[in-house]
Amino acid sequence: MPIHPTAADLSRRLADNVEAFCRRYLSNGYRSGRWWCVGDVFNSEGESMYVRLTGPSRGKGARGKWTDGATGEHGDLLDVIRLQCGDRWKETLAEARAFLSLPQPPIPGRARPLPAARDTVESARRMLRYGRPVPGTVAAAYLRSRGLEHAVDQPTLRFHPRCLYRPSAKEPAGPDIYHPALLASVTDLSGAVMAVGRTWLSPDGRGKAAVRDPRRTLGNQLGHGVRFAGTVSDLMVAGEGVETVLSVQRVLPAVLHVAALSGAHLGALILPPGLRHLYIARDADPAGESGAATLRQRAEAAGILVTDLDPREDDFNTDLCHIGPRDLALHLAPQLDPNDAVAHLQFEEALAA
């Protein structure tokens, strides 16, 4: 075995220690005969994923191979680490070497060529595939705490039980950590996933995780957004955050809502063809006002009618939490086109909430 083993070598060594591996990385599972059963590759409780504990070192029936019966995904133990590390290959190899008590390789010299850029769009799609539905999770508790219980079943949202958070260069150096996260699918106009928005959450879901930057996006975000579908094709509400547009959607459920995830990306949002009237749900801060102004200019140049929607406080989710859906509907009513307000503003739904 070389001093710095290859990925295949690491995979075989991990398989030689398969039960110890499962007890560390899949600790919410249990042994059942020749198998280790657990909920999924992210160490959730359950038994849909099973890891072979016995068998040859390679080939058919090899120990360390796993399959998730719920998703059809499968792989080896190095894949478990890779997925738990957020598909970051360098960290995956370092974690595997640390588990096996192997020395880390030397840092490459500057003269060596840089590795090929990672396909962040595919990484975002993979992360979403490993997400799970929101109902019954910490993400559902988070949405309820923000007055957004209507959004728990939105297919655009997913839950990640153990999402990697790496401190940025602006934060004090420290180890990578994991938190539960709300995932939001960022798509283009055709519905293809281009990125994923991540909001790291506290363990009980009553707020965001105690990290410096609890919101980040992975993938190609420019021009795309998180889309919450409506039945009306020529109206759209655009805003920055997922919580902002979901707050407006609560009382305007028939209208397409799109979250750009930042003020700068709000200004760059690609608008769908056939759009007649664009409502911009602004955040009351300089970044939100700048993004809204840029989007307005672009939309009006394309012949689209544009109306700004202004919150009472800093954003519409704060409004929803403080005054409730009924008064939010009353606040929005005079800002909407009278025909749109009559046709689409849901006072009855707000009153029943």
Side-chain angles (χ1 to χ4, degrees):
M1 187 72 69
I3 295 176
H4 302 297
T6 65
D9 296 328
L10 288 172
S11 181
R12 285 193 291 273
R13 287 197 181 194
L14 292 172
D16 289 340
N17 297 273
V18 57
E19 186 163 353
F21 178 97
C22 290
R23 293 189 184 280
R24 174 180 293 190
Y25 294 98
L26 303 171
S27 57
N28 284 325
Y30 60 91
R31 179 166 188 159
S32 177
R34 295 177 297 169
W35 306 95
W36 187 271
C37 301
V38 70
D40 57 31
V41 74
F42 300 110
N43 195 28
S44 302
E45 294 182 358
E47 53 187 22
S48 65
M49 175 179 165
Y50 43 96
V51 185
R52 185 180 288 274
L53 298 176
T54 62
S57 61
R58 67 181 70 186
K60 185 176 181 179
R63 59 183 178 269
K65 298 293 185 179
W66 58 269
T67 299
D68 190 328
T71 65
E73 299 284 346
H74 56 87
D76 60 20
L77 299 181
L78 195 60
D79 289 320
V80 172
I81 297 178
R82 175 178 59 82
L83 292 164
Q84 290 191 0
C85 285
D87 205 31
R88 298 175 186 272
W89 192 241
K90 179 180 178 181
E91 287 73 13
T92 297
L93 297 179
E95 179 66 23
R97 293 186 185 104
F99 172 76
L100 294 167
S101 300
L102 298 174
Q104 300 293 337
I107 299 174
R110 291 181 179 268
R112 297 191 180 185
L114 293 173
R118 185 164 60 99
D119 185 351
T120 56
V121 173
E122 182 53 37
S123 295
R125 292 169 179 170
R126 188 178 297 113
M127 180 175 289
L128 283 166
R129 286 198 297 270
Y130 275 92
R132 62 178 63 176
V134 169
T137 69
V138 170
Y142 172 74
L143 290 171
R144 286 194 297 269
S145 75
R146 304 296 293 266
L148 303 172
E149 53 269 18
H150 72 287
V152 168
D153 292 318
Q154 295 272 6
T156 299
L157 302 178
R158 305 284 286 174
F159 171 66
H160 194 309
R162 193 169 183 266
C163 191
L164 174 68
Y165 179 87
R166 170 175 289 115
S168 69
K170 297 180 180 180
E171 298 177 73
D176 295 343
I177 52 178
Y178 297 86
H179 293 283
L182 176 68
L183 305 181
S185 176
V186 179
T187 62
D188 63 13
L189 293 180
S190 73
V193 173
M194 303 303 296
V196 58
R198 297 161 291 175
T199 301
W200 282 275
L201 306 175
S202 63
D204 61 5
R206 296 182 181 178
K208 300 182 186 69
V211 294
R212 183 181 185 277
D213 185 14
R215 298 182 191 274
R216 290 179 184 170
T217 304
L218 173 68
N220 176 15
Q221 183 182 355
L222 187 64
H224 311 306
V226 182
R227 301 174 194 279
F228 301 98
T231 58
V232 182
S233 60
D234 61 347
L235 299 179
M236 187 175 101
V237 173
E240 287 187 50
V242 167
E243 294 89 340
T244 289
V245 298
L246 284 175
S247 298
V248 180
Q249 189 209 34
R250 179 157 184 180
V251 295
L252 279 172
V255 179
L256 168 67
H257 287 67
V258 181
L261 301 184
S262 76
H265 286 93
L266 178 63
L269 195 64
I270 299 172
L271 299 172
L275 186 62
R276 172 181 60 84
H277 196 158
L278 172 66
Y279 290 100
I280 303 177
R282 303 195 309 178
D283 285 2
D285 57 42
E289 292 169 1
S290 174
T294 300
L295 182 59
R296 167 187 277 277
Q297 183 178 23
R298 291 179 48 241
E300 289 180 339
I304 299 169
L305 177 63
V306 180
T307 300
D308 290 330
L309 301 179
D310 294 316
R312 285 177 33 151
E313 299 186 47
D314 58 333
D315 62 43
F316 283 103
N317 188 244
T318 300
D319 289 355
L320 177 64
C321 292
H322 288 178
I323 65 177
R326 175 185 177 276
D327 285 347
L328 178 59
L330 291 171
H331 173 71
L332 283 171
Q335 301 187 59
L336 300 173
D337 179 281
N339 293 325
D340 293 339
V342 171
H344 305 302
L345 195 58
Q346 295 293 309
F347 283 101
E348 292 183 7
E349 204 168 279
L351 286 167

